[in-house]
Coordinates of all heavy atoms in Angstrom, one line a residue:
C1 N 11.5 6.4 -1.0 CA 10.1 6.2 -0.4 C 10.0 6.9 0.8 O 11.0 7.1 1.6 CB 10.1 4.7 -0.1 SG 10.0 3.5 -1.5
P2 N 8.8 7.3 1.2 CA 8.6 7.9 2.5 C 8.9 7.0 3.6 O 8.7 5.8 3.5 CB 7.1 8.4 2.4 CG 6.5 7.5 1.5 CD 7.5 7.1 0.5
T3 N 9.2 7.4 4.8 CA 9.3 6.6 5.9 C 7.9 6.3 6.5 O 6.9 7.0 6.2 CB 10.1 7.2 7.1 OG1 9.4 8.4 7.6 CG2 11.6 7.6 6.6
P4 N 7.7 5.2 7.2 CA 6.4 4.9 7.8 C 5.8 6.1 8.6 O 4.7 6.3 8.6 CB 6.6 3.7 8.7 CG 7.8 3.0 8.0 CD 8.7 4.1 7.5
A5 N 6.7 6.8 9.3 CA 6.2 7.9 10.1 C 5.8 9.1 9.2 O 5.0 10.0 9.7 CB 7.3 8.4 11.1
D6 N 6.2 9.1 8.0 CA 5.9 10.3 7.1 C 4.5 10.1 6.4 O 4.2 11.0 5.6 CB 6.9 10.4 6.0 CG 8.3 10.9 6.6 OD1 8.2 11.6 7.7 OD2 9.3 10.7 5.9
L7 N 3.8 9.1 6.6 CA 2.6 8.8 5.8 C 1.5 9.7 6.5 O 0.5 9.2 7.0 CB 2.2 7.3 5.9 CG 3.1 6.4 5.1 CD1 2.5 5.0 5.1 CD2 3.3 6.9 3.7
R8 N 1.6 11.0 6.2 CA 0.6 12.0 6.6 C 0.5 13.0 5.5 O 1.4 13.6 5.1 CB 0.9 12.7 7.9 CG 0.8 11.9 9.1 CD 1.1 12.7 10.3 NE 1.1 11.9 11.5 CZ 0.0 11.6 12.2 NH1 -1.1 12.1 12.0 NH2 0.1 10.8 13.3
P9 N -0.8 13.1 4.8 CA -0.9 14.1 3.8 C -0.9 15.5 4.4 O -0.8 15.7 5.6 CB -2.3 13.8 3.2 CG -2.9 12.9 4.2 CD -1.9 12.3 5.0
A10 N -0.9 16.5 3.6 CA -0.8 17.9 4.0 C -1.8 18.3 5.1 O -1.5 19.1 6.0 CB -1.0 18.9 2.8
N11 N -3.0 17.7 5.0 CA -4.0 18.1 6.0 C -3.9 17.4 7.4 O -4.7 17.6 8.3 CB -5.4 17.9 5.4 CG -5.8 16.5 5.2 OD1 -5.0 15.5 5.5 ND2 -7.0 16.2 4.7
G12 N -2.9 16.5 7.5 CA -2.6 15.9 8.8 C -3.3 14.6 9.0 O -3.1 14.0 10.1
T13 N -4.2 14.2 8.1 CA -5.0 13.0 8.3 C -4.0 11.7 8.3 O -3.1 11.7 7.5 CB -6.0 12.8 7.2 OG1 -6.8 13.9 7.2 CG2 -6.9 11.6 7.4
R14 N -4.3 10.8 9.1 CA -3.4 9.6 9.2 C -3.6 8.7 8.0 O -4.7 8.5 7.5 CB -3.7 8.9 10.5 CG -2.8 7.7 10.7 CD -2.9 7.3 12.2 NE -2.1 6.1 12.4 CZ -2.6 4.9 12.7 NH1 -3.9 4.7 12.9 NH2 -1.8 3.9 12.8
V15 N -2.5 8.1 7.5 CA -2.6 7.2 6.4 C -2.0 5.8 6.9 O -0.9 5.9 7.5 CB -1.9 7.7 5.2 CG1 -1.7 6.7 4.1 CG2 -2.5 9.0 4.6
C16 N -2.5 4.7 6.6 CA -2.0 3.5 7.1 C -1.0 2.9 6.0 O -0.1 2.2 6.4 CB -3.0 2.5 7.4 SG -3.6 2.6 9.2
A17 N -1.2 3.1 4.8 CA -0.3 2.5 3.8 C -0.5 3.3 2.4 O -1.5 4.0 2.2 CB -0.7 1.1 3.5
Q18 N 0.6 3.3 1.7 CA 0.5 3.8 0.3 C 1.1 2.8 -0.6 O 2.2 2.2 -0.3 CB 1.3 5.1 0.2 CG 0.7 6.3 0.9 CD 1.3 7.6 0.7 OE1 0.9 8.6 1.2 NE2 2.5 7.7 0.1
L19 N 0.4 2.5 -1.7 CA 0.9 1.5 -2.6 C 1.2 2.3 -3.9 O 0.6 3.2 -4.3 CB -0.2 0.5 -3.0 CG -0.6 -0.6 -1.9 CD1 -1.1 0.0 -0.6 CD2 -1.5 -1.5 -2.4
Y20 N 2.3 1.9 -4.6 CA 2.8 2.5 -5.8 C 2.9 1.6 -7.0 O 3.1 0.4 -6.8 CB 4.2 3.1 -5.5 CG 4.4 4.0 -4.3 CD1 4.5 3.5 -3.0 CD2 4.1 5.4 -4.5 CE1 4.5 4.4 -2.0 CE2 4.2 6.3 -3.4 CZ 4.4 5.7 -2.1 OH 4.5 6.6 -1.0
T21 N 2.7 2.2 -8.1 CA 2.8 1.3 -9.4 C 4.1 1.1 -9.9 O 4.4 0.2 -10.7 CB 1.9 2.0 -10.5 OG1 2.4 3.3 -10.8 CG2 0.4 1.9 -10.1
D22 N 5.1 2.0 -9.7 CA 6.4 1.9 -10.2 C 7.5 1.6 -9.1 O 7.4 2.1 -8.1 CB 6.9 3.3 -10.9 CG 6.0 3.6 -12.1 OD1 5.2 2.7 -12.6 OD2 6.0 4.8 -12.5
N23 N 8.4 0.8 -9.6 CA 9.5 0.4 -8.6 C 10.8 0.4 -9.4 O 10.8 0.6 -10.7 CB 9.2 -1.0 -8.2 CG 10.1 -1.4 -7.0 OD1 10.8 -0.5 -6.4 ND2 9.9 -2.6 -6.5
S24 N 11.9 0.3 -8.7 CA 13.2 0.3 -9.4 C 14.1 -0.4 -8.5 O 14.0 -0.5 -7.3 CB 13.6 1.8 -9.5 OG 15.0 1.8 -9.9
P25 N 15.2 -1.0 -9.1 CA 16.3 -1.7 -8.3 C 17.0 -0.6 -7.5 O 17.8 -1.0 -6.6 CB 17.1 -2.4 -9.3 CG 16.8 -1.8 -10.6 CD 15.4 -1.2 -10.5
Y26 N 16.9 0.6 -7.8 CA 17.6 1.7 -7.1 C 16.7 2.3 -6.1 O 15.6 2.9 -6.4 CB 18.1 2.8 -8.1 CG 19.0 2.2 -9.1 CD1 18.6 2.0 -10.5 CD2 20.3 1.9 -8.9 CE1 19.4 1.5 -11.4 CE2 21.1 1.3 -9.8 CZ 20.6 1.1 -11.1 OH 21.5 0.6 -12.0
Y27 N 17.0 2.3 -4.8 CA 16.1 2.6 -3.7 C 15.6 4.0 -3.9 O 14.4 4.3 -3.7 CB 16.8 2.5 -2.4 CG 15.9 2.7 -1.2 CD1 14.9 1.8 -0.8 CD2 15.9 4.0 -0.6 CE1 14.0 2.1 0.2 CE2 15.0 4.2 0.5 CZ 14.1 3.3 0.8 OH 13.2 3.5 1.9
D28 N 16.5 5.0 -4.3 CA 16.0 6.4 -4.4 C 15.0 6.6 -5.6 O 14.4 7.6 -5.7 CB 17.2 7.3 -4.6 CG 18.0 7.1 -5.8 OD1 17.9 5.9 -6.4 OD2 18.7 8.0 -6.3
Q29 N 14.8 5.6 -6.4 CA 13.8 5.7 -7.5 C 12.6 4.8 -7.3 O 11.7 4.7 -8.2 CB 14.4 5.3 -8.8 CG 15.6 6.2 -9.2 CD 16.3 5.8 -10.4 OE1 15.9 4.9 -11.2 NE2 17.5 6.4 -10.6
C30 N 12.4 4.2 -6.1 CA 11.3 3.4 -5.8 C 10.1 4.3 -5.4 O 10.3 5.5 -5.2 CB 11.6 2.5 -4.6 SG 12.7 1.1 -5.0
C31 N 9.0 3.7 -5.2 CA 7.8 4.5 -4.7 C 7.4 5.6 -5.7 O 7.3 6.7 -5.3 CB 7.9 4.9 -3.3 SG 8.2 3.6 -2.2
A32 N 7.3 5.3 -6.9 CA 6.9 6.3 -7.9 C 5.7 5.8 -8.7 O 5.1 4.7 -8.5 CB 8.0 6.5 -8.9
G33 N 5.2 6.6 -9.6 CA 4.0 6.3 -10.4 C 2.8 6.7 -9.6 O 2.7 7.6 -8.8
D34 N 1.7 6.0 -10.0 CA 0.4 6.2 -9.3 C 0.5 5.8 -7.9 O 1.2 4.8 -7.5 CB -0.7 5.5 -10.0 CG -0.9 6.0 -11.5 OD1 -0.7 7.2 -11.7 OD2 -1.4 5.2 -12.3
V35 N -0.3 6.5 -7.0 CA -0.3 6.1 -5.6 C -1.7 5.8 -5.2 O -2.7 6.5 -5.5 CB 0.2 7.3 -4.7 CG1 0.2 7.0 -3.3 CG2 1.6 7.8 -5.1
L36 N -1.9 4.7 -4.4 CA -3.1 4.3 -3.8 C -3.0 4.5 -2.3 O -2.1 3.9 -1.7 CB -3.5 2.9 -4.1 CG -4.8 2.4 -3.5 CD1 -6.0 3.1 -4.0 CD2 -4.9 0.9 -3.9
V37 N -3.7 5.4 -1.7 CA -3.7 5.6 -0.3 C -4.7 4.8 0.5 O -5.8 4.7 0.1 CB -4.0 7.2 0.0 CG1 -4.1 7.4 1.5 CG2 -3.0 8.1 -0.7
V38 N -4.3 4.1 1.5 CA -5.1 3.3 2.3 C -5.3 3.9 3.7 O -4.3 4.0 4.5 CB -4.4 1.8 2.5 CG1 -5.3 0.9 3.3 CG2 -4.0 1.2 1.1
P39 N -6.5 4.4 4.0 CA -6.8 5.0 5.2 C -6.9 3.9 6.4 O -7.0 2.7 6.1 CB -8.2 5.7 5.1 CG -8.7 5.3 3.7 CD -7.6 4.4 3.0
P40 N -6.8 4.4 7.6 CA -6.9 3.4 8.8 C -8.3 2.7 8.7 O -9.3 3.3 8.2 CB -7.0 4.3 10.0 CG -6.3 5.6 9.5 CD -6.7 5.7 8.0
D41 N -8.3 1.4 9.2 CA -9.5 0.6 9.3 C -10.2 0.3 8.0 O -11.4 0.1 7.9 CB -10.5 1.3 10.3 CG -9.9 1.4 11.7 OD1 -9.2 0.5 12.1 OD2 -10.2 2.5 12.3
S42 N -9.5 0.4 6.9 CA -10.0 0.0 5.6 C -10.2 -1.5 5.5 O -9.4 -2.3 5.9 CB -9.1 0.5 4.5 OG -9.0 1.8 4.4
D43 N -11.3 -1.9 4.9 CA -11.6 -3.3 4.6 C -12.0 -3.4 3.1 O -13.2 -3.1 2.9 CB -12.6 -3.8 5.5 CG -12.9 -5.3 5.4 OD1 -12.0 -6.0 4.6 OD2 -13.8 -5.9 5.9
V44 N -11.2 -3.7 2.3 CA -11.5 -3.6 0.8 C -11.2 -5.1 0.2 O -10.1 -5.4 0.0 CB -10.6 -2.6 0.1 CG1 -10.9 -2.5 -1.4 CG2 -10.7 -1.2 0.8
P45 N -12.3 -5.8 -0.1 CA -12.1 -7.2 -0.6 C -11.7 -7.2 -2.1 O -11.2 -8.2 -2.6 CB -13.5 -7.8 -0.5 CG -14.5 -6.7 -0.4 CD -13.6 -5.5 0.2
Y46 N -11.8 -6.1 -2.8 CA -11.3 -5.9 -4.2 C -10.5 -4.7 -4.4 O -10.8 -3.7 -3.8 CB -12.6 -5.9 -5.2 CG -13.5 -7.1 -5.1 CD1 -14.6 -7.1 -4.3 CD2 -13.2 -8.2 -5.9 CE1 -15.4 -8.2 -4.2 CE2 -14.0 -9.3 -5.9 CZ -15.1 -9.3 -5.0 OH -15.9 -10.5 -4.9
M47 N -9.5 -4.9 -5.2 CA -8.7 -3.7 -5.5 C -9.5 -2.7 -6.4 O -10.3 -3.0 -7.1 CB -7.4 -4.1 -6.3 CG -6.4 -4.8 -5.6 SD -5.7 -3.9 -4.2 CE -4.6 -2.8 -5.1
P48 N -9.3 -1.4 -6.2 CA -10.0 -0.4 -7.0 C -9.7 -0.6 -8.5 O -8.7 -1.2 -8.8 CB -9.4 0.9 -6.5 CG -8.9 0.7 -5.1 CD -8.4 -0.8 -5.2
R49 N -10.6 -0.2 -9.3 CA -10.5 -0.3 -10.7 C -9.2 0.2 -11.2 O -8.7 1.3 -10.9 CB -11.7 0.5 -11.4 CG -11.7 0.2 -12.8 CD -13.0 1.0 -13.4 NE -13.5 0.6 -14.6 CZ -14.1 -0.6 -14.9 NH1 -14.1 -1.6 -14.0 NH2 -14.6 -0.9 -16.1
G50 N -8.6 -0.6 -12.0 CA -7.2 -0.2 -12.5 C -6.1 -0.5 -11.7 O -4.9 -0.3 -12.1
W51 N -6.2 -1.1 -10.5 CA -5.1 -1.3 -9.6 C -4.7 -2.9 -9.5 O -3.7 -3.2 -9.0 CB -5.4 -0.8 -8.3 CG -5.0 0.7 -8.2 CD1 -5.8 1.6 -8.4 CD2 -3.7 1.0 -7.7 NE1 -5.0 2.8 -8.2 CE2 -3.8 2.5 -7.8 CE3 -2.5 0.4 -7.4 CZ2 -2.7 3.3 -7.5 CZ3 -1.4 1.2 -7.0 CH2 -1.5 2.6 -7.1
S52 N -5.5 -3.8 -10.1 CA -5.3 -5.2 -10.0 C -3.9 -5.5 -10.6 O -3.7 -5.1 -11.8 CB -6.4 -6.0 -10.7 OG -6.1 -7.3 -10.5
A53 N -3.0 -6.1 -9.9 CA -1.7 -6.6 -10.4 C -0.9 -5.5 -10.8 O 0.1 -5.6 -11.6 CB -1.9 -7.6 -11.5
R54 N -1.0 -4.2 -10.3 CA -0.2 -3.1 -10.6 C 0.8 -2.7 -9.5 O 1.7 -1.9 -9.8 CB -1.0 -1.9 -11.0 CG -1.8 -2.1 -12.3 CD -2.3 -0.8 -12.8 NE -1.4 0.3 -13.0 CZ -1.7 1.5 -12.9 NH1 -2.9 1.9 -12.5 NH2 -0.8 2.5 -13.0
T55 N 0.5 -3.0 -8.2 CA 1.3 -2.6 -7.2 C 2.7 -3.2 -7.2 O 2.9 -4.4 -7.3 CB 0.6 -2.9 -5.8 OG1 -0.6 -2.3 -5.7 CG2 1.5 -2.5 -4.7
S56 N 3.7 -2.4 -7.2 CA 5.0 -2.9 -7.2 C 5.9 -2.5 -6.0 O 6.9 -3.1 -5.7 CB 5.8 -2.4 -8.5 OG 6.0 -1.0 -8.4
S57 N 5.5 -1.5 -5.2 CA 6.1 -1.2 -4.0 C 5.2 -0.6 -3.0 O 4.0 -0.1 -3.5 CB 7.3 -0.3 -4.2 OG 6.9 1.0 -4.9
L58 N 5.4 -0.6 -1.7 CA 4.5 -0.1 -0.8 C 5.2 0.3 0.5 O 6.3 -0.1 0.8 CB 3.3 -1.2 -0.4 CG 3.8 -2.5 0.2 CD1 3.8 -2.4 1.7 CD2 2.9 -3.6 -0.2
V59 N 4.5 1.2 1.3 CA 4.9 1.6 2.5 C 3.8 1.6 3.5 O 2.7 2.0 3.2 CB 5.5 3.1 2.5 CG1 5.9 3.6 3.9 CG2 6.7 3.2 1.5
V60 N 4.1 0.9 4.7 CA 3.0 0.8 5.7 C 3.4 1.7 6.9 O 4.5 1.6 7.3 CB 2.9 -0.7 6.2 CG1 1.8 -0.8 7.2 CG2 2.5 -1.6 5.0
G61 N 2.5 2.5 7.3 CA 2.7 3.4 8.4 C 2.8 2.7 9.8 O 2.6 1.5 10.0
T62 N 3.3 3.5 10.7 CA 3.6 3.0 12.0 C 2.1 2.7 12.6 O 1.2 3.3 12.4 CB 4.2 4.1 12.9 OG1 3.5 5.2 12.9 CG2 5.7 4.3 12.4
R63 N 2.1 1.7 13.5 CA 1.0 1.2 14.1 C -0.1 0.8 13.2 O -1.3 0.8 13.5 CB 0.3 2.2 15.1 CG 1.3 2.5 16.2 CD 0.7 3.7 17.1 NE 0.5 4.8 16.2 CZ -0.1 5.9 16.6 NH1 -0.8 5.9 17.8 NH2 -0.3 6.9 15.8
C64 N 0.3 0.2 12.0 CA -0.7 -0.2 11.0 C -0.2 -1.6 10.5 O 1.0 -1.9 10.5 CB -0.8 0.7 9.8 SG -1.7 2.2 10.2
E65 N -1.1 -2.4 9.9 CA -0.8 -3.6 9.4 C -1.6 -3.7 8.0 O -2.8 -3.5 8.1 CB -1.1 -4.8 10.3 CG -0.6 -6.1 9.7 CD -0.8 -7.3 10.7 OE1 -1.9 -7.7 10.9 OE2 0.2 -7.6 11.3
L66 N -1.0 -4.1 7.0 CA -1.7 -4.3 5.7 C -1.7 -5.8 5.3 O -0.6 -6.4 5.3 CB -1.0 -3.5 4.6 CG -1.5 -3.6 3.2 CD1 -2.9 -2.9 3.1 CD2 -0.6 -3.0 2.2
T67 N -2.9 -6.4 5.1 CA -2.9 -7.7 4.7 C -3.4 -7.8 3.2 O -4.4 -7.1 2.9 CB -4.0 -8.5 5.6 OG1 -3.5 -8.4 7.0 CG2 -4.0 -10.0 5.2
V68 N -2.8 -8.5 2.4 CA -3.1 -8.7 1.0 C -3.3 -10.1 0.7 O -2.8 -11.0 1.4 CB -2.1 -8.0 0.1 CG1 -1.9 -6.6 0.3 CG2 -0.7 -8.8 0.2
W69 N -4.2 -10.4 -0.3 CA -4.5 -11.8 -0.7 C -4.2 -12.0 -2.2 O -4.2 -11.0 -2.9 CB -5.9 -12.1 -0.5 CG -6.4 -12.3 0.9 CD1 -6.5 -13.4 1.6 CD2 -6.7 -11.2 1.9 NE1 -6.8 -13.2 3.0 CE2 -7.0 -11.8 3.1 CE3 -6.8 -9.8 1.8 CZ2 -7.3 -11.1 4.3 CZ3 -7.2 -9.1 2.9 CH2 -7.4 -9.7 4.1
S70 N -3.9 -13.2 -2.5 CA -3.5 -13.5 -3.9 C -4.7 -13.7 -4.8 O -4.7 -13.4 -6.0 CB -2.7 -14.8 -4.0 OG -3.4 -15.9 -3.5
G71 N -5.9 -13.9 -4.2 CA -7.2 -14.1 -5.0 C -8.2 -13.0 -4.7 O -8.0 -12.2 -3.8
R72 N -9.2 -13.0 -5.5 CA -10.3 -12.0 -5.3 C -11.1 -12.3 -4.0 O -11.1 -13.4 -3.6 CB -11.3 -12.1 -6.5 CG -10.6 -12.1 -7.8 CD -11.6 -12.4 -8.9 NE -11.9 -11.1 -9.6 CZ -12.7 -10.8 -10.4 NH1 -13.6 -11.8 -10.7 NH2 -12.8 -9.7 -11.0
A73 N -11.7 -11.2 -3.6 CA -12.6 -11.3 -2.4 C -11.9 -12.0 -1.2 O -12.5 -12.9 -0.5 CB -13.9 -12.0 -2.8
K74 N -10.7 -11.7 -1.0 CA -9.9 -12.2 0.2 C -9.8 -13.7 0.2 O -10.0 -14.4 1.2 CB -10.5 -11.8 1.5 CG -10.5 -10.3 1.7 CD -11.2 -10.0 3.0 CE -11.4 -8.5 3.2 NZ -12.0 -8.2 4.5
T75 N -9.5 -14.3 -1.0 CA -9.2 -15.7 -1.1 C -7.8 -16.0 -1.5 O -7.1 -15.0 -2.0 CB -10.1 -16.3 -2.2 OG1 -9.8 -15.7 -3.5 CG2 -11.6 -16.2 -1.9
G76 N -7.3 -17.2 -1.4 CA -6.0 -17.5 -1.7 C -5.0 -17.3 -0.6 O -5.4 -17.2 0.5
K77 N -3.8 -17.2 -0.9 CA -2.7 -16.9 0.1 C -2.7 -15.5 0.5 O -3.1 -14.7 -0.3 CB -1.3 -17.3 -0.5 CG -1.2 -18.8 -0.8 CD 0.2 -19.0 -1.3 CE 0.3 -20.6 -1.7 NZ 1.7 -20.8 -2.1
S78 N -2.4 -15.3 1.8 CA -2.4 -13.9 2.3 C -1.0 -13.6 2.8 O -0.2 -14.6 3.1 CB -3.4 -13.8 3.4 OG -3.1 -14.5 4.6
R79 N -0.7 -12.4 2.9 CA 0.6 -11.9 3.4 C 0.3 -10.6 4.1 O -0.4 -9.8 3.7 CB 1.6 -11.7 2.3 CG 2.9 -11.2 2.8 CD 4.0 -11.4 1.8 NE 5.2 -11.0 2.4 CZ 6.3 -10.8 1.8 NH1 6.4 -11.0 0.5 NH2 7.4 -10.4 2.3
K80 N 1.0 -10.4 5.3 CA 0.9 -9.2 6.1 C 2.1 -8.4 6.1 O 3.3 -8.9 6.0 CB 0.6 -9.6 7.6 CG -0.7 -10.3 7.7 CD -1.1 -10.7 9.2 CE -2.4 -11.4 9.2 NZ -3.1 -11.2 10.4
F81 N 1.9 -7.1 5.9 CA 3.0 -6.1 6.0 C 2.8 -5.1 7.1 O 1.7 -4.7 7.4 CB 3.1 -5.3 4.6 CG 3.3 -6.1 3.4 CD1 2.2 -6.8 2.7 CD2 4.5 -6.4 2.9 CE1 2.5 -7.5 1.6 CE2 4.8 -7.2 1.8 CZ 3.8 -7.8 1.1
S82 N 3.9 -4.7 7.7 CA 3.9 -3.7 8.7 C 5.1 -2.8 8.5 O 6.0 -3.0 7.8 CB 3.8 -4.3 10.1 OG 4.9 -5.0 10.3
A83 N 5.1 -1.7 9.3 CA 6.2 -0.8 9.3 C 7.5 -1.5 9.6 O 8.5 -1.3 9.1 CB 6.0 0.5 10.2

């Protein structure tokens, strides 16, 4: 997985989080598969099409916090992730 400080694409734009569809019990094989990039100050009440219940690993960048909910439209239990 990339480190939180490494979350910058080639053009240098800041990224707050990256979510991945594939995971593994072996750390060097985590953070694989499709990638969903979360830019700073995103407020997304619904997962993008095809991403519901697919995220298996994630990395949150420095100075960012990612909050996720168990239900649609920010309902249910929430959990916060940070670097």
Side-chain angles (χ1 to χ4, degrees):
C1 294
T3 67
D6 290 338
L7 292 187
R8 289 184 183 271
N11 66 4
T13 304
R14 186 165 175 244
V15 172
C16 272
Q18 288 186 176
L19 287 66
Y20 301 88
T21 57
D22 296 345
N23 196 5
S24 170
Y26 301 103
Y27 185 76
D28 62 339
Q29 297 174 18
C30 287
C31 301
D34 295 332
V35 179
L36 178 63
V37 175
V38 181
D41 301 319
S42 295
D43 185 11
V44 183
Y46 297 93
M47 290 297 284
R49 186 175 202 67
W51 273 89
S52 182
R54 288 191 61 211
T55 303
S56 63
S57 54
L58 60 90
V59 176
V60 178
T62 55
R63 297 177 301 167
C64 288
E65 184 175 78
L66 177 70
T67 304
V68 297
W69 287 265
S70 61
R72 312 174 106 189
K74 299 180 183 180
T75 61
K77 294 182 180 181
S78 68
R79 182 164 180 191
K80 295 182 182 208
F81 296 91
S82 61

